[in-house]
Amino acid sequence: MTRLQPIRPEEQDEQQRALHASITGGPRAAGPQHFALTGHDGSLRGPFNAFLLSPGVGGALERLGAAVRYDTSLSGRTRELAILAVAAHWSSAFEWDSHEAVARAAGVTDAELDALRRGDVPALVDEDERAAAELVCCLLAGDVSDEEWGRWAEPLGETAVFELCTLVGYYSTLALQMRVFRVG
């Protein structure tokens, strides 16, 4: 049972309405919709409803999330593989359900999804995808050893490593928030 009831548009103050508009009118709302941002009553779904509790912090998270999804050097497949690895690691049903459709649209296969669901690194042919997936596994374990750095991080380059660290941190934050508020 959720600990945070949906904050419907008619209940929102000015700052909350502005953040709601930014989320529903921003890049997440453009293009194909693989998951609904709002419920039937117009309230935000998933982690976005909690963003309204503190529009300053929620707005910063919204902007970070948009940057991680739309403004990195990571390919769509790499990004979605990483997001689903985080979702599986934290048992975040909303993240998994939302991003599975996005991942499929980016070309992630059933076999790759099954491996991620088990917490395994999928058998990836693309060297950069494999390095990113292995690095994400290290990040979820808490650190990257010198050997792992040489094997996985150096070939990707510092920019991709920074982006992956940020992505893992962002989606882990959402998973924690949804767990605490019991968002399904």
Side-chain angles (χ1 to χ4, degrees):
M1 176 132 220
T2 185
R3 293 176 173 162
L4 177 62
Q5 294 305 309
I7 304 170
R8 294 185 307 274
E10 63 271 14
E11 300 168 336
Q12 297 169 10
D13 65 26
E14 186 177 328
Q15 289 181 313
Q16 290 171 322
R17 279 192 301 278
L19 179 53
H20 186 281
S22 178
I23 293 168
T24 60
R28 287 177 185 84
Q33 293 297 296
H34 298 288
F35 61 93
L37 292 171
T38 60
H40 67 281
D41 61 358
S43 63
L44 295 169
R45 295 183 63 236
F48 305 116
N49 186 53
F51 286 14
L52 298 177
L53 294 173
S54 177
V57 174
L61 280 172
E62 189 275 326
R63 291 185 301 277
L64 176 59
V68 168
R69 288 252 342 256
Y70 305 106
D71 293 326
T72 69
S73 65
L74 305 173
S75 72
R77 272 182 51 87
T78 298
R79 181 191 65 244
E80 295 305 320
L81 289 165
I83 292 168
L84 290 176
V86 173
H89 177 80
W90 291 108
S91 301
S92 182
F94 182 88
E95 282 181 349
W96 184 275
D97 293 343
S98 298
H99 283 275
E100 181 178 359
V102 180
R104 287 181 186 283
V108 177
T109 68
D110 286 338
E112 292 164 342
L113 290 169
D114 290 342
L116 291 167
R117 206 176 274 113
R118 290 189 310 270
D120 297 333
V121 174
L124 299 166
V125 176
D126 183 274
E127 290 179 26
D128 287 341
E129 287 179 0
R130 175 74 180 185
E134 293 285 357
L135 182 62
V136 166
C137 193
C138 295
L139 295 170
L140 290 168
D143 196 7
V144 179
S145 71
D146 289 341
E147 183 216 335
E148 292 162 336
W149 179 267
R151 260 182 105 184
W152 310 119
E154 283 183 1
L156 287 173
E158 292 173 338
T159 299
V161 172
F162 174 77
E163 292 169 347
L164 284 168
C165 286
T166 305
L167 180 147
V168 168
Y170 172 76
Y171 282 96
S172 293
T173 296
L174 297 187
L176 175 62
Q177 289 172 342
M178 287 188 288
R179 178 174 288 171
V180 168
F181 286 106
R182 304 293 192 261
V183 175

